[in-house]
Amino acid sequence: MHNMNDRIKNILDLIKKYAKKRISHHHTVQLLAVSKRFPAQAVEDAYACGLTQFGENYVQEGVDKIQQLAHLPLTWHFIGPIQSNKTQLIAQNFDWVQTVCREKIIARLQAQRPENLAPLNILIQVNISQDPAKSGVIADFINDNRTILEQPLYIQIYKMAQLIHKQSRLCFRGLMTISEKSLPTEELALQYKQLDQIYQQLQKDFATVDCLSMGMSQDFETAILNGSTQVRIGTAIFGQRD
Ligand SMILES: *Cc1c(COP(=O)(O)O)cnc(C)c1O
């Protein structure tokens, strides 16, 4: 398969196939196209193939594309690490921010989201693999008989969710995680299951929660089988990045 249309069709077919294999979930799985390091033209091509949700990791690169493609009805997700001095550009240009994990960033996004735009959709990034090199809320998930409400990781996330929920210019939508590369499938599946348990509890606590963003080109089957509602795919759509 050489052209983008075939690649996207193939990914959408696989997403449907994996989603059918799940037992307990009835939601559909959204495809977020990660367009970092690819030009606006590549985004326009993906839009012509039917995609409307795009993810960017670098603020200035993302803002340039958002402005060049303002004539298209696209939804833009910021999925990179957030530096405080970049929050204003993020708040002014993006529709979603998936990588929130610090109180200071929440306050800045609230203050900087323009009044004429809809509230900024927020996902809390969770460091489910407890990888010291990654950002995200981090705490233990303990596998004993305790309830989800007693899990240290849930308690941490809940506090931050409450804070986001109180902000008038922000809308709390759920969780996102980046998996550790080269983790055995069973371990990865266990981590995704744990995050799904927390996500399902948050859905009971907050009416606006509807997004569990997990899975990339390499592991989206495992992510979908374990509860993902959105997979973030770059390479499998656009090809290798330089
Ligand atoms: C780059 C990136 C992706 C896409 O990764 P691929 O392996 O190219 O599919 C997804 N999520 C985040 C946070 C990324 O930085």
Side-chain angles (χ1 to χ4, degrees):
M1 291 210 213
H2 294 298
N3 71 58
M4 188 187 281
N5 200 46
D6 290 341
R7 289 197 298 266
I8 290 173
K9 192 178 169 301
N10 185 43
I11 293 164
L12 291 172
D13 287 346
L14 287 172
I15 288 174
K16 257 194 215 145
K17 180 177 138 195
Y18 302 149
K20 269 199 199 132
K21 284 207 256 172
R22 296 172 306 176
I23 314 152
S24 59
H25 298 270
H26 304 286
H27 55 76
T28 56
V29 179
Q30 184 181 53
L31 174 56
L32 175 69
V34 177
S35 44
K36 64 180 175 214
R37 307 234 180 88
F38 283 89
Q41 184 60 52
V43 174
E44 217 167 334
D45 294 346
Y47 170 72
C49 300
L51 301 187
T52 57
Q53 308 286 321
F54 292 88
E56 287 286 335
N57 287 59
Y58 308 100
V59 177
Q60 194 55 57
E61 178 191 331
V63 169
D64 289 345
K65 279 178 234 180
I66 291 169
Q67 289 173 355
Q68 283 178 64
L69 298 171
H71 57 289
L72 299 178
L74 307 179
T75 301
W76 292 93
H77 301 243
F78 186 73
I79 61 170
I82 306 174
Q83 293 167 287
S84 336
N85 64 351
K86 296 285 168 61
T87 53
Q88 181 151 29
L89 275 175
I90 295 172
Q92 289 172 341
N93 290 279
F94 284 84
D95 304 293
W96 290 65
V97 185
Q98 301 207 353
T99 43
V100 169
C101 56
R102 290 191 288 148
E103 292 186 3
K104 180 184 170 189
I105 297 297
I106 295 170
R108 291 179 68 92
L109 292 173
Q110 159 70 17
Q112 294 167 340
R113 180 65 168 177
E115 282 293 333
N116 63 321
L117 298 180
L120 186 57
N121 296 296
I122 304 288
L123 299 182
I124 295 175
Q125 182 178 357
V126 182
N127 188 350
I128 192 73
S129 59
Q130 306 207 359
D131 175 353
K134 281 207 185 73
S135 43
V137 174
I138 190 165
D140 287 330
F141 191 102
I142 300 159
N143 281 301
D144 57 13
N145 288 328
R146 75 185 63 202
T147 69
I148 196 77
L149 296 169
E150 295 163 339
Q151 286 287 348
L153 182 58
Y154 172 77
I155 293 165
Q156 284 281 107
I157 292 170
Y158 181 80
K159 278 188 203 145
M160 189 162 288
Q162 280 278 30
L163 180 66
I164 296 165
H165 181 68
K166 282 192 218 141
Q167 313 300 321
S168 59
R169 306 301 303 137
L170 308 179
C171 182
F172 177 55
R173 300 295 292 268
L175 304 176
M176 129 3 145
T177 196
I178 303 175
S179 63
E180 209 176 317
K181 284 210 171 64
S182 73
L183 209 61
T185 304
E186 295 87 86
E187 259 177 74
L188 184 63
L190 179 65
Q191 291 180 359
Y192 281 160
K193 272 197 191 86
Q194 292 171 340
L195 200 59
D196 183 41
Q197 286 179 48
I198 292 173
Y199 170 73
Q200 289 191 39
Q201 179 60 44
L202 288 170
Q203 280 196 302
K204 294 177 192 156
D205 301 330
F206 301 94
T208 51
V209 169
D210 60 359
C211 184
L212 178 55
S213 177
M214 56 188 195
M216 320 206 290
S217 295
Q218 294 307 314
D219 68 344
F220 69 100
E221 174 172 14
T222 307
I224 291 171
L225 293 179
N226 293 287
S228 171
T229 74
Q230 182 193 71
V231 292
R232 306 180 308 267
I233 299 199
T235 313
I237 294 174
F238 297 105
Q240 287 295 335
R241 292 178 288 273
D242 300 328

